[in-house]
Amino acid sequence: MYTTDMTDSSPCLELDDASIGYGTGSQRLEVLQNVNLAVAPNEFVAVIGFSGAGKSTLVSLLAGLATPDSGRARMLGEKISRPSPRRGVMFQSYSLLPWLTVFGNIQLAAKQVFPKKSKSEICEHVEHYIEMVNLTPARDKQPHELSGGMRQRVSLARTLAMEPEVLLLDEPLSALDALTRAVLQDEILDIWEKQRKTVVLITNDVDEAILMADRIIPLTMGPGATLAEAFPVPLPRPRDRRTLIDQPDYQKLKAEITSYLVGLNRQVREIRISPTLQMPDVAPKQFRLPSKMPGMKRSRIA
Amino acid sequence: MIQMDKIKYGLLRAIDLSGLGFLSPVVRLCTGEDPAKQTRDIARFIFLPILAFLVFLWIWSVIAPKHKTKAGEVPTPSVVWDAGKGIWSFHQREAAKEKGFLTSAENRLAKLQQATRRLAEVEKLEATAKKQVEEVIVASQDKFDAVVAPAKRAYEAKREEYREHRIESAAALKEEAASLMDASPARREAFLGKVRATNRISEAIKEELDQLKAEYEEAKEITFPEVKDAVKAATLLGEEKQFLVKYISMLGDNSREVKLEEAKSALEDAQEEFRTADSGDFYKLAASIISKEELRDTLASSKYAKPWTLPKQIVRSILCAFTGFFIATLIAIPIGILCGLSPSFMAAVTPFIALFKPVSPLVWLPIVMIIVGGFMPEPDKHWLIVFMGKIPFIKDYQIDPMFLSSAITVALCSLWATLVNTALGVGSVDKDHMNVARILRLGFAARLFKIVIPTALPLIFAGLRISLGVGWMVLVAAEILSTSEGIGKFVNDMYTNGSSESFAQMFVVVFIVGFIGMVLDRIMVFLQRLVSFDTAPAL
């Protein structure tokens, strides 16, 4: 295995045969079924899957925003029963409060998580994280004045300012354009290298997963999705996107994961193929036009 | 240059916030930004509306005089303008009289002198004006005759014809009737037909006669513009003279100072008499001193009995509308928030909203008046009325049960828009924001005040804006019905009065009510934009 401590220590985040679904009766939809996951402390795991597979539901389970119908979700051996600032979540939709400034948004989180800090300490704390994501010039701007990339940076700073033990990144970069995404990927990696944390990254981008993660776990297609066999990423860190592409390991891994995902997609399509519907054999009884048809009389006269 | 831009964009932002968007091309043009486009925009957003208004005034002034009513012609714009000026001068004169009543010492005497001088002038001017009127009438006599004489002639000729026809036909028929003594039944029958025919003819002539008479009467009513103007000038002077006479009396014999002096000297005399008298009814003297003391005290704090003028009524109406609006807000926002937070509560409240929202203020008002009256059998002693009577500014506006009833009616009619909008705003909180709140473990109060209410605020203000608009409309109706002092009372008085002048004053009220409603709406738009965190423009 790639890291030694992964097998030695107990896992930081765990899903134990967890299943969850929504609705009741005929509306019932099983989203995740028998999901097993163990994330070691300070490990960077990427979960990759098609949209609609249930990736966000997986994050909800880990964050404690949803509880599994069966099975268990645990953090450091303790049952996850409700959300906590110990597991910071970064949402795809930024979810910044539009009436607060960058500073205000982060301050709201910091004040709540560190109620004992004095006003000036909180201010210092918030400014430290704004600095970390390079947003100091935009400190007093409101979200609608910022670009998508900047907004996601604020969201990152807010999550980091809670100083969580676990970071759950729910497709944080998929709404951004390719260039901004690359910049933010590097920034997130950079921050992670400096202060390692347990991270679960949800993504649909194979390159992103390989660049950032220690392990890539594909999520099979829903409904009733589950986690498949993991692909370890044996590339050395720190990784540089410019040299990474040339490494044979990278290309091999990418090919493997891509073909696995494509295979998943094909499988599902075969399952979902609908049988041809037999149409009823219908023929009109007679071909005469109805007598009260407007214009009929005139044509007869003519 | 940067300074310029700062001022420019500051101004543009202020214009945008206040919803006065039509001014922004003017600012842009002043800074030389794309003059062609700005000129087009100014033409479209400033000159075109002004032109449209002028066209409206023109159509109005053409159409209005064509319709005759019990209260005279429908007033034209200029008549309405004069009525507006009349309302304003009445207000100013009443204010002057009040001031005159209260001023004292040298100031009063100086003013008295001034007013007396002015009165002499006005009297002279009025005499001239009256003479002028007579002259104008004499001068226009020929014109008048030219219009009236043909109508008169036609009418008199027809009248003569009618008379002659009746006399002649009656004589002829009587003659024939005499010869019917031994005539055959057929001839008698023929005679009957003849009588019938004659009657029909005379009826036809009578109808024509009536028509001509009406035309003649109408012709007599004609007043020429020059006569009208002369009469108007004389009337205005007459009104001023009347005012000055009253004003002088308020400054002079009837002023508080003079009355107080009189009362004081009378009291002193009585006291002197009481002290020095050798004999007589001392009890009677003492009682007279006491009553004189009381009179002095009453006079010292007496006020001029100022009638309600329209400006004061307008202020009271605005006060009443805002009281109602305030009550509505206090009820609607908390209930709206509860509705938005709890679908069960919403389900419970929905039937009430659906049921009570369409109820007209005219139904609410009598009910509210009876209920409020039940709470205040003796309004002057009720703590609420006493309390409101002590608040500065408000105490001048006669807060009574009618005022409260009107305000509560306004509240009952206007709270629904705020309630529904608040519920909608609270219900539309972003799920991700709630997730953030859950992760941060924000408590109920923090969630409410830091996430839910800020999210709902723009919609709440949109609701408040609708509520204020509805409230202002409802208020005038409520005041008409409750005869509570205010714009509605003014309209009602003018309607009952029924003269052509009061008819024009009702038109003035239309514009005043519309203008105040517009200003209130703009204020709400401004507030709504201040709390809106997105840049979407509010219409």
Side-chain angles (χ1 to χ4, degrees):
Chain A
M1 279 264 125
Y2 162 59
T3 39
T4 45
D5 59 0
M6 225 176 82
T7 41
D8 292 351
S9 64
S10 59
C12 174
L13 266 185
E14 254 183 302
L15 283 179
D16 194 2
D17 226 15
S19 300
I20 187 168
Y22 298 111
T24 49
S26 60
Q27 301 283 304
R28 178 77 186 171
L29 181 72
E30 297 297 336
V31 181
L32 296 175
Q33 241 164 9
N34 305 87
V35 176
N36 285 293
L37 173 72
V39 185
N42 297 342
E43 191 187 9
F44 199 130
V45 168
V47 172
I48 192 162
F50 290 97
S51 46
K55 287 175 294 185
S56 292
T57 310
L58 187 70
V59 170
S60 297
L61 281 183
L62 292 172
L65 291 166
T67 46
D69 295 332
S70 67
R72 264 173 308 234
R74 279 192 299 245
M75 179 177 174
L76 298 169
E78 274 173 58
K79 188 172 169 247
I80 296 171
S81 55
R82 58 178 184 141
S84 154
R86 290 168 67 197
R87 294 178 297 277
V89 185
M90 209 171 138
F91 297 94
Q92 184 187 345
S93 61
Y94 323 124
S95 65
L96 301 171
L97 302 177
W99 51 89
L100 295 179
T101 59
V102 168
F103 184 85
N105 264 291
I106 301 171
Q107 188 197 31
L108 176 72
K111 252 187 176 161
Q112 184 68 19
V113 178
F114 305 106
K116 281 182 188 149
K117 284 198 176 182
S118 72
K119 215 171 175 184
S120 59
E121 277 172 328
I122 290 278
C123 188
E124 210 173 289
H125 182 89
V126 171
E127 266 160 7
H128 169 70
Y129 283 98
I130 294 179
E131 169 85 55
M132 189 181 277
V133 296
N134 305 321
L135 273 181
T136 309
R139 180 186 182 275
D140 296 317
K141 292 226 161 96
Q142 290 197 331
H144 68 84
E145 297 172 282
L146 304 176
S147 68
M150 287 163 99
R151 289 184 206 184
Q152 200 51 283
R153 281 203 187 108
V154 183
S155 177
L156 176 65
R158 180 177 64 186
T159 314
L160 292 174
M162 300 177 344
E163 299 194 339
E165 292 154 52
V166 173
L167 266 180
L168 303 171
L169 311 179
D170 185 4
E171 298 199 55
L173 309 177
S174 48
L176 306 176
D177 63 276
L179 290 173
T180 315
R181 195 190 302 185
V183 173
L184 265 163
Q185 282 165 357
D186 290 345
E187 280 184 23
I188 294 174
L189 261 187
D190 202 37
I191 292 167
W192 184 76
E193 298 279 2
K194 278 184 203 148
Q195 35 171 283
R196 297 222 167 181
K197 279 184 201 307
T198 312
V199 179
V200 176
L201 168 72
I202 305 285
T203 181
N204 53 19
D205 181 349
V206 180
D207 290 315
E208 182 176 287
I210 299 175
L211 175 71
M212 300 177 85
D214 296 326
R215 238 180 344 142
I216 299 172
I217 311 176
L219 187 66
T220 63
M221 297 291 274
T226 190
L227 290 174
E229 196 68 30
F231 293 89
V233 184
L235 299 166
R237 287 182 191 272
R239 294 170 190 162
D240 185 333
R241 68 171 66 248
R242 284 163 298 181
T243 56
L244 203 62
I245 309 169
D246 303 329
Q247 292 186 31
D249 276 354
Y250 170 85
Q251 285 170 358
K252 199 177 134 219
L253 190 61
K254 184 175 176 183
E256 267 176 46
I257 296 172
T258 312
S259 66
Y260 179 80
L261 290 172
V262 172
L264 267 184
N265 199 15
R266 194 176 301 138
Q267 243 177 350
V268 168
R269 240 185 297 161
E270 273 160 18
I271 296 166
R272 281 188 189 158
I273 268 178
S274 52
T276 332
L277 272 180
Q278 201 69 47
M279 297 303 284
D281 187 23
V282 188
K285 279 183 186 166
Q286 51 179 8
F287 291 93
R288 241 179 53 203
L289 283 167
S291 58
K292 279 196 176 164
M293 191 90 158
M296 277 297 285
K297 255 188 193 164
R298 208 191 300 160
S299 65
R300 218 177 272 163
I301 290 161
Chain B
M1 203 58 214
I2 291 167
Q3 202 65 32
M4 258 312 265
D5 271 7
K6 230 179 179 175
I7 294 170
K8 176 182 162 187
Y9 287 109
L11 261 176
L12 286 177
R13 188 170 152 65
I15 285 170
D16 180 56
L17 265 178
S18 55
L20 302 170
F22 63 90
L23 287 176
S24 77
V26 178
V27 173
R28 286 179 198 274
L29 187 65
C30 289
T31 55
E33 181 191 318
D34 195 359
K37 185 183 179 300
Q38 306 318 332
T39 320
R40 235 180 304 130
D41 281 356
I42 289 174
R44 180 178 302 156
F45 297 119
I46 297 178
F47 287 114
L48 195 62
I50 290 175
L51 189 72
F53 192 72
L54 292 177
V55 169
F56 162 72
L57 287 181
W58 177 73
I59 293 176
W60 176 9
S61 58
V62 169
I63 290 179
K66 299 208 166 133
H67 184 59
K68 307 267 186 291
T69 68
K70 271 191 286 182
E73 284 168 10
V74 176
T76 58
S78 67
V79 175
V80 171
W81 179 251
D82 285 338
K85 281 201 287 194
I87 290 173
W88 182 241
S89 74
F90 175 64
H91 171 69
Q92 282 188 317
R93 282 172 182 171
E94 284 306 321
K97 279 191 222 165
E98 184 182 30
K99 223 176 149 198
F101 177 72
L102 297 175
T103 44
S104 50
E106 286 156 31
N107 202 5
R108 180 171 69 84
L109 293 176
K111 282 211 168 139
L112 188 58
Q113 236 171 10
Q114 207 180 325
T116 319
R117 237 178 291 137
R118 175 73 190 150
L119 179 62
E121 269 175 52
V122 169
E123 271 172 346
K124 240 180 266 164
L125 283 172
E126 201 207 2
T128 341
K130 274 188 175 160
K131 214 180 279 166
Q132 185 94 33
V133 171
E134 279 162 27
E135 277 167 21
V136 170
I137 288 176
V138 170
S140 66
Q141 193 61 47
D142 292 344
K143 245 161 89 184
F144 182 79
D145 289 345
V147 177
V148 177
K152 191 181 178 190
R153 238 175 285 129
Y155 165 63
E156 281 169 356
K158 193 51 97 177
R159 197 173 56 185
E160 200 51 38
E161 185 192 330
Y162 178 59
R163 209 166 56 91
E164 274 169 20
H165 172 78
R166 269 192 19 202
I167 293 168
E168 278 169 21
S169 57
L173 287 172
K174 257 182 202 160
E175 203 174 297
E176 200 179 335
S179 67
L180 278 182
M181 198 82 87
D182 38 32
S184 66
R187 260 197 69 203
R188 290 186 188 190
E189 202 55 40
F191 177 72
L192 192 60
K194 220 182 225 172
V195 174
R196 204 175 279 134
T198 317
N199 267 4
R200 222 176 284 138
I201 291 167
S202 52
E203 256 167 43
I205 298 172
K206 176 85 166 69
E207 223 164 76
E208 279 173 51
L209 180 68
D210 286 344
Q211 175 71 30
L212 284 170
K213 188 179 179 190
E215 274 167 28
Y216 171 54
E217 293 292 338
E218 202 186 309
K220 275 203 290 189
E221 289 295 308
I222 191 171
T223 33
F224 298 103
E226 61 265 27
V227 180
K228 238 185 220 175
D229 290 346
V231 170
K232 197 168 108 185
T235 317
L236 283 177
L237 284 166
E239 275 170 13
E240 194 180 349
K241 188 181 98 180
Q242 217 172 13
F243 155 68
L244 283 168
V245 170
K246 280 262 177 66
Y247 182 52
I248 287 166
S249 114
M250 283 302 157
L251 280 168
D253 297 343
N254 274 325
S255 89
R256 184 161 75 175
E257 197 184 28
V258 171
K259 286 209 154 174
L260 199 56
E261 283 305 321
E262 280 170 9
K264 273 182 187 164
S265 68
L267 178 62
E268 271 164 26
D269 290 347
Q271 280 167 338
E272 187 63 32
E273 194 185 346
F274 182 67
R275 252 184 268 124
T276 53
D278 305 331
S279 62
D281 189 346
F282 284 97
Y283 172 65
K284 209 171 167 186
L285 286 173
S288 124
I289 286 176
I290 302 299
S291 80
K292 282 188 172 112
E293 271 171 0
E294 274 168 10
L295 179 66
R296 182 198 57 191
D297 294 345
T298 334
L299 278 172
S301 62
S302 69
K303 280 190 181 136
Y304 171 63
K306 192 178 167 190
W308 283 88
T309 58
L310 186 61
K312 200 178 169 192
Q313 283 170 317
I314 289 171
V315 175
R316 191 173 190 264
S317 283
I318 293 175
L319 208 62
C320 189
F322 270 100
T323 309
F325 177 63
F326 183 66
I327 297 171
T329 309
L330 279 189
I331 297 170
I333 290 184
I335 294 181
I337 289 175
L338 282 177
C339 281
L341 290 179
S342 151
S344 311
F345 191 82
M346 180 74 169
V349 170
T350 303
F352 294 99
I353 299 176
L355 188 64
F356 294 135
K357 197 169 83 167
V359 176
S360 156
L362 303 181
V363 181
W364 283 127
L365 184 78
I367 298 173
V368 172
M369 284 205 294
I370 293 170
I371 292 176
V372 169
F375 275 112
M376 303 177 174
E378 280 179 283
D380 294 341
K381 286 179 189 159
H382 193 270
W383 62 268
L384 188 60
I385 302 289
V386 173
F387 170 72
M388 291 187 92
K390 280 180 186 155
I391 304 172
F393 180 71
I394 289 180
K395 69 179 176 196
D396 299 335
Y397 290 93
Q398 196 196 328
I399 309 302
D400 54 11
M402 288 304 172
F403 178 90
L404 295 176
S405 304
S406 304
I408 292 170
T409 304
V410 166
L412 280 174
C413 293
S414 68
L415 65 87
W416 310 107
T418 304
L419 201 162
V420 171
N421 265 30
T422 306
L424 195 68
V426 169
S428 66
V429 171
D430 194 335
K431 208 173 135 251
D432 280 343
H433 290 165
M434 274 337 259
N435 279 340
V436 170
R438 287 175 67 196
I439 288 167
L440 289 172
R441 292 193 176 165
L442 292 178
F444 175 76
R447 273 189 216 188
L448 188 62
F449 289 108
K450 291 195 171 149
I451 298 192
V452 172
I453 291 181
T455 305
L457 219 47
L459 265 176
I460 291 177
F461 270 84
L464 288 175
R465 182 185 165 197
I466 301 171
S467 284
L468 190 58
V470 170
W472 183 242
M473 279 210 302
V474 163
L475 178 74
V476 178
E479 281 176 346
I480 287 184
L481 197 64
S482 70
T483 59
S484 167
E485 280 301 343
I487 297 175
K489 171 91 181 316
F490 182 84
V491 172
N492 199 23
D493 288 349
M494 293 303 112
Y495 178 69
T496 340
N497 190 344
S499 77
S500 68
E501 198 195 355
S502 56
F503 191 26
Q505 286 178 342
M506 277 148 83
F507 278 71
V508 176
V509 170
V510 169
F511 287 94
I512 290 174
V513 170
F515 181 76
I516 293 171
M518 187 180 80
V519 171
L520 294 180
D521 190 61
R522 286 292 105 181
I523 292 172
M524 291 311 290
V525 170
F526 176 70
L527 292 177
Q528 194 185 341
R529 290 205 182 184
L530 274 189
V531 299
S532 290
F533 37 81
D534 49 6
T535 45
L539 292 173

